[in-house]
Amino acid sequence: NDPVPEDFLDPSRFNNTPPTRLNRFITDSSFQGYDGKLDIESVYLMTEVPVAQRTRLIGGARFETSSLGVINFVRGINDPDILEPPASLNDNFLPSASMVYSMREDMNLRLAYGRTLARPIFKEIANISTFDFANQELFVGNPDLMQTDIWNYDLRWEWFPSPGDVLAFSYFHKDLENPIEKTFVNASNTPIVQFQNRDEATVSGVEIEVRRALEAWHHSLSNWSVGMNFTWVNSSIDVAPTERVGLADRENTRPLAGQSDLLANFDLTYHNDRSGTTGSLFYNYTGDRLSIVGGQASPVDVVEKGTDSLDFTLSQRIGKGFSVKFSAKNLINPDIAMTQSIGDQSFPYY
């Protein structure tokens, strides 16, 4: 919290940076901060019961009490060490149940139900503002943000034709209460955004998963395997009245913010038990997704265009109980495009 040196504020030290933009990156003001606290107490019970020769029922429940709170302060005015954070208390009963039907020794049919939740993080509920350098926007916390309650329904068919091989098809559906979305709350030269709750949303989709040991193709590939996963998702949430400002012909529903309609993963893995060597190349594709929801301040949504990534990991066992690991991420370094559209025209968000 030392004062900013005067020479650091000299615009000439920034090549090709107009002085008028300097205030978007450097602000001389009192330091704002927060103390956050999250306490969770829980108990869990689980049981597995064979209900028929080929059918198992697995059930359980988790009960938890959570306390989440944040207290804001300005350095030199408040002493955060003597302030007790005001907390929001939540009692959550989270049941789960699944039924597994063994169609044969190497094939299962699974039906599952469960309730889960998603809590806000401290930054999202702290009543302070921070500047996001990547997106060039001002982020403001929302003290009234509530947790999201999620009801999950899954149906999965899986086949294990040989050790290490998997072929599976899944259908899933989720009902969300109080989903959290990133939303415009002010439109200016520097956009102001905030996470806010909506009433409810649904997410459903299908998934295909394949894993194959390459030894079946040729004995020289005994240490190699490939895996791939494709997921198609349909999400839906009602459009709020504030989203219709200036867009009277907008549809009644739209996708859930942050949810892509297509996800794809591919990996190529080498694993040698004798030498203790494991290497993997991972490719991931994430389809277009709504990033920031338009509102009364700025009715035009921001969409993050689909992007892909490539990562590599390598680990080597050294003696007994030791190993070294190397990883390289974002090898193709894709451009992240954020766009806004009006009619048939699209333009960059920043």
Side-chain angles (χ1 to χ4, degrees):
N1 303 320
D2 294 334
V4 178
E6 291 184 4
D7 61 343
F8 189 79
L9 296 175
D10 182 3
S12 64
R13 71 187 300 274
F14 295 90
N15 294 331
N16 303 320
T17 302
T20 55
R21 291 193 61 194
L22 199 58
N23 63 355
R24 298 187 63 184
F25 300 94
I26 300 175
T27 302
D28 189 10
S29 63
S30 300
F31 174 78
Q32 297 184 72
Y34 59 86
D35 274 359
K37 186 177 182 180
L38 171 62
D39 290 325
I40 302 176
E41 297 180 357
S42 64
V43 293
Y44 181 79
L45 176 67
M46 176 180 174
T47 185
E48 180 175 335
V49 180
V51 295
Q53 184 176 2
R54 295 188 175 185
T55 305
R56 293 176 293 136
L57 183 63
I58 304 169
R62 173 186 173 95
F63 180 81
E64 65 176 41
T65 297
S66 63
S67 173
L68 174 65
V70 168
I71 188 71
N72 309 294
F73 61 85
V74 177
R75 187 72 68 185
I77 298 178
N78 307 114
D79 184 354
D81 295 331
I82 63 175
L83 297 176
E84 289 294 331
S88 60
L89 300 175
N90 289 284
D91 292 332
N92 297 293
F93 179 67
L94 307 174
S96 65
S98 64
M99 184 181 68
V100 182
Y101 173 67
S102 298
M103 305 174 70
R104 60 190 202 191
E105 289 186 0
D106 61 353
M107 189 180 297
N108 295 323
L109 185 64
R110 297 177 180 269
L111 181 64
Y113 160 82
R115 183 188 169 203
T116 56
L117 55 87
R119 293 186 180 89
I121 61 176
F122 294 136
K123 175 184 176 181
E124 295 172 352
I125 63 174
N127 191 22
I128 64 172
S129 59
T130 56
F131 188 77
D132 186 336
F133 288 89
N135 295 327
Q136 300 186 20
E137 61 194 18
L138 194 65
F139 175 82
V140 179
N142 180 5
D144 297 323
L145 201 61
M146 298 182 292
Q147 72 179 27
T148 302
D149 296 301
I150 310 169
W151 286 264
N152 307 274
Y153 309 87
D154 299 272
L155 177 64
R156 175 182 172 92
W157 172 86
E158 55 191 18
W159 177 35
F160 307 95
S162 59
D165 293 350
V166 178
L167 175 61
F169 295 88
S170 303
Y171 169 80
F172 59 88
H173 178 85
K174 302 175 184 291
D175 291 322
L176 289 73
E177 182 178 323
N178 298 319
I180 299 172
E181 295 187 311
K182 191 176 182 181
T183 306
F184 281 115
V185 293
N186 182 274
S188 61
N189 291 334
T190 300
I192 301 178
V193 297
Q194 182 182 69
F195 283 99
Q196 297 182 351
N197 290 111
R198 296 302 173 95
D199 291 336
E200 58 186 17
T202 60
V203 178
S204 58
V206 294
E207 179 183 19
I208 300 175
E209 178 184 353
V210 180
R211 175 156 294 281
R212 180 67 166 166
L214 300 185
E215 185 179 13
W217 297 352
H218 196 276
H219 64 85
S220 63
L221 301 175
S222 60
N223 296 319
W224 294 86
S225 65
V226 294
M228 58 193 72
N229 177 287
F230 300 93
T231 306
W232 293 269
V233 182
N234 178 60
S235 61
S236 178
I237 189 169
D238 290 339
V239 172
T242 54
E243 299 177 55
R244 296 186 179 278
V245 177
L247 299 173
D249 58 346
R250 185 161 191 169
E251 297 181 359
N252 294 326
T253 60
R254 58 163 174 79
L256 179 67
Q259 180 61 65
S260 299
D261 58 355
L262 175 62
L263 302 169
N265 301 278
F266 175 85
D267 72 86
L268 175 65
T269 299
Y270 173 84
H271 177 71
N272 191 320
D273 278 329
R274 180 176 297 180
S275 65
T277 305
T278 301
S280 296
L281 191 66
F282 300 95
Y283 172 82
N284 170 267
Y285 175 79
T286 302
D288 294 359
R289 57 185 172 185
L290 175 59
S291 178
I292 307 176
V293 179
Q296 190 167 359
S298 176
V300 184
D301 296 335
V302 175
V303 174
E304 180 180 341
K305 305 302 290 184
T307 185
D308 50 6
S309 63
L310 186 66
D311 302 330
F312 173 74
T313 63
L314 177 66
S315 65
Q316 177 62 54
R317 187 179 67 238
I318 302 177
K320 294 184 178 180
F322 294 93
S323 64
V324 293
K325 184 177 181 179
F326 168 82
S327 63
K329 297 185 177 181
N330 196 30
L331 295 177
I332 55 179
N333 191 27
D335 292 330
I336 306 299
M338 309 280 281
T339 64
Q340 293 178 290
S341 299
I342 299 179
D344 296 331
Q345 296 184 337
S346 297
F347 50 92
Y349 168 52
Y350 58 84

